[in-house]
Amino acid sequence: MTSKHHTEKTSAAGTIVGFDFQYYYFLYKLLILKKGETIGFEVLDDVHTQLNNDHQVLIQIKHSIQKKSNGTTANLTELDPDLWKTMYNWSAVITDKNDGRESQIDQRKFVEKTTFILASNKSFTSSNTFLSKISDFQVGQIDFEKMSNHLKTLHASTKSEEIKSHIGLVISLDESVLSEFLRNIKSELNVANIIDQCKTALEEKDVNPREIDNLFNQLDSVVRQDIFKNFSDNKKLIYSFEERSRKFRRYFDIANNPDLKIRKFEGGLPDRIEEQTFIKQLLDIEDINLSEQEIIQNYTRYRIMLESNLSNWVAEGQLTSEEIGIFEDDIFRQWETEYRSSYRGKGNPDEYIDIAHNILKAMRSKALSISGQTLLSDMSHGSLYSLSNRPVIGWLKDWKEKYK
């Protein structure tokens, strides 16, 4: 067998993906939270929910990166450490004296109002007799004695001292408490593609399908920041239904708004930005000079922001290429009207720079729109810079000869 390198042994990959699995499971449960319920992350359990009938759900989440020979995730076996660590944790919670559950009466009251869920990406296997017997016990196919005997058999058969200790705590529970505990255990196994489940939850809320990925990314960021802030301040992270609605409502409104979503340009600028055709045009009419590098950079951002948004809108199906053609044709007609009327009867070249600057000023003052939506000024100006960069429009009388 090939030995692992030291870096492989110390890699935190499994821990990181395990935490992310827990987090996205929490996010999924948060998205489907119902009115009157609350949900917590790392408060009462890995994840917990409080229902509106004074019932609570404690969820232990286990993730594995182990694979079977066919490439699927490993099974949850009957003596799986994840299974018995979970059972141990719950048993310790049930008998927690520091939480006022020293007596069997208090322990039973706690168990009666609690559902215990083990959620994992591991798969169920029919060889996991313990889980099968729990199901049989819950529907009355076997009695408590048979269930208890099976636990004792597992306790005697395991060679792992840790698992033996974990099973031992479960067995030590009062019979009435253990019986109710076993009745309230559920498993959610083979939880795969948890991110897709989050997106499906958004789809089931009638979110515009084209906006699901963007909305998911926004909500993901909001919740992750909440976790970081709360944990940094040593605070508990609990959302009520109302709190979730308050935090998320605006993002849902934006996602379901038919208006085009404008994204700021945050990428890098091209090299030698002063050599862009639209910049040369602006330099030649003395709208800017080479010393105004910040302005040149901003104008370049406006152009790229306009072009990248147009490209995204077409790619995401929010606009058609025909609609963009109509948008650019409309700008061209408005420019053509200004250009022709401004130069009509003007034959003195000494006037051309002033005329060109007035044309630019008139076009910048126009409120341009696309598909019925008025653009912000930087996007409107960006459309002028984009067209004059190709160039399709210009400002000087002889712009075609100079720049085409």
Side-chain angles (χ1 to χ4, degrees), residues 7 23 30 36 81 86 99 105 109 116 142 145 149 155 221 223 243-244 272 310 326 356 360 368 370 372 379 381:
T7 51
Y23 162 74
L30 176 60
T86 296
D99 214 7
I105 294 175
K109 285 180 179 178
F116 303 86
I142 64 172
E145 183 179 0
N149 287 339
H155 182 263
S221 177
V223 177
E243 174 72 3
R244 185 206 65 181
R272 298 186 294 277
L310 291 180
I326 292 171
L360 173 63
L368 302 179
I370 183 168
M379 291 279 282
H381 294 176

Side-chain angles (χ1 to χ4, degrees), residues 23-24 27 31 195 198-224 244-245 247-257 261 263 316 318:
Y23 162 74
Y24 282 119
L27 180 59
L31 291 173
I195 291 177
C198 292
K199 294 179 180 180
T200 298
L202 295 177
E203 185 177 6
E204 290 173 348
K205 292 181 181 294
D206 295 325
V207 173
N208 182 341
R210 292 194 297 264
E211 290 299 317
I212 285 177
D213 284 346
N214 288 331
L215 177 59
F216 169 77
N217 291 335
Q218 289 172 327
L219 301 183
D220 182 15
S221 177
V222 169
V223 177
R224 283 188 183 276
R244 185 206 65 181
S245 296
K247 278 185 174 287
F248 289 2
R249 183 177 294 114
R250 179 56 183 158
Y251 297 100
F252 275 89
D253 288 345
I254 293 172
N256 287 321
N257 190 321
K261 309 302 183 300
R263 299 181 178 88
E316 294 167 2
Q318 296 186 66

Side-chain angles (χ1 to χ4, degrees), residues 69 119 139 143 169 171 191 234 237 276 312 370 379:
S69 59
V139 297
D143 58 21
L169 183 60
I171 294 174
V191 178
N234 199 28
L237 182 66
Q276 297 172 99
N312 287 336
I370 183 168
M379 291 279 282

Side-chain angles (χ1 to χ4, degrees), residues 15 31 43 81 120 145 155 216 222 265 275 291 312 316 347 365 398-399:
T15 302
L31 291 173
V43 181
S120 176
E145 183 179 0
H155 182 263
F216 169 77
V222 169
F265 172 70
E275 295 183 11
S291 66
N312 287 336
E316 294 167 2
S365 68
D398 60 347
W399 68 273

Side-chain angles (χ1 to χ4, degrees), residues 68-80:
K68 293 183 286 189
S69 59
N70 61 4
T72 60
T73 304
N75 293 331
L76 185 75
T77 60
E78 185 167 37
L79 289 174
D80 197 302

